[in-house]
Amino acid sequence: MKILHASSEVFPYSKTGGLADATAALARAQAAAGHSVTLVTPLYRGIRDTFPGLEPLGQAELPAKVWRLDPEPNLTVLFIDEPEWFDRDGLYGHVDDAERFIFFSKCVVRLAKHVEIVHAHDWQSGLVMPLLANEPVGKIFTIHNAAYQGRFPADKFALTGLPDAYFDSRQLEFHGDMNLLKGGVVSADLVTTVSPRYARELLTGEYGCGLEGVFQSRDDALSGVLNGVDYTEWNTMDNPHLAAAYSADSPGGKAANKRALQHELGLPLLDNAPLFGNISRFTDQKGIDILLGALKEQLDGGAVFQFAGLGSGDPSLEQAMSRLAKRHPEQVAVKIGYDTGLAHRIEAGSDFYVMPSRFEPCGLNQLYSLRYGSVPVVRTTGGLDDSVIDLGQGEDTATGIKFGDCSAAALGQALGQALDLFAEPKRLARVRDNGMRADFSWRQTTAQYDRLYAKIKKPAA
Ligand code: ADP
Ligand code: GLC
């Protein structure tokens, strides 16, 4: 099949979170499976310096210059080069984000000739779906996070070039504003999100972010497909970021990674204290406040453990995390910032990976932590619930520890369970081994998308 993806971030060219990993890995897996895949994304500042192999597309009549890269067989990445919109620091959060991503979506549409499937991701590409409403192409829209909707004042609607009839409550209009995520949801042939449980959660007032009615109206078209992991990127055997190689079959090297991490972060080199890890965007979604509460409670109670954190975002959470590290330098180490290498080393060096998300459409870090032998401690929501098997199921199958309540007390209890598990090395080894052998590769995921594409595919023009 000829497939075109539109995504505002693609690893390794740009990334703020899992969207970049998910779209890059999906495209690679589809290309490897024999599809002909094009990925369209903005040319942000710095990409051409880091990837000097980019070549001009050399196609006239496009609204912007377009660069291409063919990183592997069957896969072409197209970069929209419009310095006015994309040559600046930071991917999002600019006052003219409406202009920037409406422009991007219009470019995508111009590039979407001669394909059978157009697959758009998140609000930044949502407009692609209504712009293609009357085109003979299969349209699929994936929601990676319904909390970000691309909601803009009504006067921005004129920029879309859509007929006025589209500024309607059954289309892009939402409480008097324009809503680009909603535009994607209502105009796509099929809508997916990144886990089955989040697909169900979206229908509820608790998780629908105000769009639950819209999701309900598309219930027949909506399904959840769990993201996979790119195990060539996230692997423990051949990884330049790690101190030692290890795997389920030879787990010995994990201990060296723990010591290396402790050393890097200035923590005492203790083998007999469990090390908890977390890597997050510091937003409400990730439950960092809950994590802080639970860590404090454990520290005050005298529990013996260490914590390694990496993240950035909400300044008050950054400060609170840094304060905790200052107060407990023997037990808590926190790096504020963005650091891919350290993210790998935290996954590899920690015994447990803590993810107390309020909501989590899929979550990739718990999937990485499973492979890295860092037992996930997660809240039962979205993809976290779908990908981790709780200790309560018995250690023959368990891969992690789950808790339900969105509170420091509930997480504290789960951390207590983790401390108990750590005190029983045989049981811990079993649970860790189950997780390391679990397979979340994209093979299964691409097969599910294949089935969805087959339903909506139109013959190529
Ligand atoms: P989300 O997309 O909601 O942020 P995911 O779990 O899907 O959550 O993906 C997060 C991705 O971003 C992971 O690859 C994670 O390692 C990475 N990441 C998040 N924060 C940082 C950071 N501060 N430094 C390095 N990588 C980070
Ligand atoms: C979003 C979600 C995250 C998901 C990622 C990739 O950023 O917050 O849960 O894993 O997209 O789909």
Side-chain angles (χ1 to χ4, degrees), residues 165-362:
Y166 278 83
F167 198 73
D168 178 273
S169 65
R170 281 160 303 174
Q171 298 285 345
L172 278 76
E173 189 271 343
F174 184 65
H175 299 289
D177 290 335
M178 173 179 68
N179 186 316
L180 296 175
L181 188 84
K182 182 179 174 189
V185 171
V186 298
S187 293
D189 299 325
L190 287 176
V191 180
T192 70
T193 187
V194 286
S195 68
R197 177 159 174 164
Y198 192 60
R200 297 194 298 278
E201 289 174 341
L202 285 176
L203 306 175
T204 68
E206 191 181 350
Y207 291 97
C209 301
L211 287 176
E212 53 277 9
V214 178
F215 296 130
Q216 287 160 17
S217 74
R218 301 248 41 208
D219 195 11
D220 289 349
L222 175 68
S223 62
V225 179
L226 196 74
N227 285 331
V229 175
D230 185 340
Y231 287 124
T232 56
E233 206 52 58
W234 292 90
N235 84 84
T236 51
M237 282 307 282
D238 174 25
N239 186 329
H241 300 300
L242 301 191
Y246 66 103
S247 69
D249 289 331
S250 57
K254 174 120 183 134
N257 281 295
K258 178 172 176 177
R259 267 188 300 270
L261 179 66
Q262 288 165 326
H263 179 74
E264 176 176 358
L265 297 177
L267 290 168
L269 307 186
L270 300 176
D271 288 331
N272 58 356
L275 176 50
F276 295 100
N278 175 272
I279 305 148
S280 286
R281 293 180 291 113
F282 287 176
T283 62
D284 192 52
Q285 171 185 351
K286 300 295 176 183
I288 302 299
D289 52 331
I290 297 168
L291 178 59
L292 279 161
L295 289 176
K296 277 181 198 153
E297 201 180 279
Q298 294 290 338
L299 289 162
D300 292 346
V304 179
F305 71 96
Q306 295 176 326
F307 173 80
L310 165 66
S312 61
D314 181 338
S316 67
L317 293 173
E318 290 183 357
Q319 283 155 21
M321 273 288 181
S322 301
R323 266 200 309 274
L324 193 69
K326 241 187 177 157
R327 216 173 300 139
H328 302 274
E330 305 272 289
Q331 280 182 275
V332 179
V334 173
K335 275 267 162 76
I336 302 300
Y338 193 92
D339 184 338
T340 302
L342 183 55
H344 283 265
R345 290 191 288 280
I346 290 179
E347 295 280 9
S350 51
D351 298 294
F352 296 93
Y353 188 86
V354 195
M355 210 155 163
S357 307
R358 290 202 158 72
F359 68 95
E360 197 59 76
C362 176

Side-chain angles (χ1 to χ4, degrees), residues 94-111:
H94 300 285
V95 288
D96 49 7
D97 278 356
E99 283 82 350
R100 299 170 70 227
F101 291 103
I102 288 172
F103 178 83
F104 171 65
S105 297
K106 285 180 167 176
C107 292
V108 170
V109 168
R110 298 285 286 275
L111 291 162

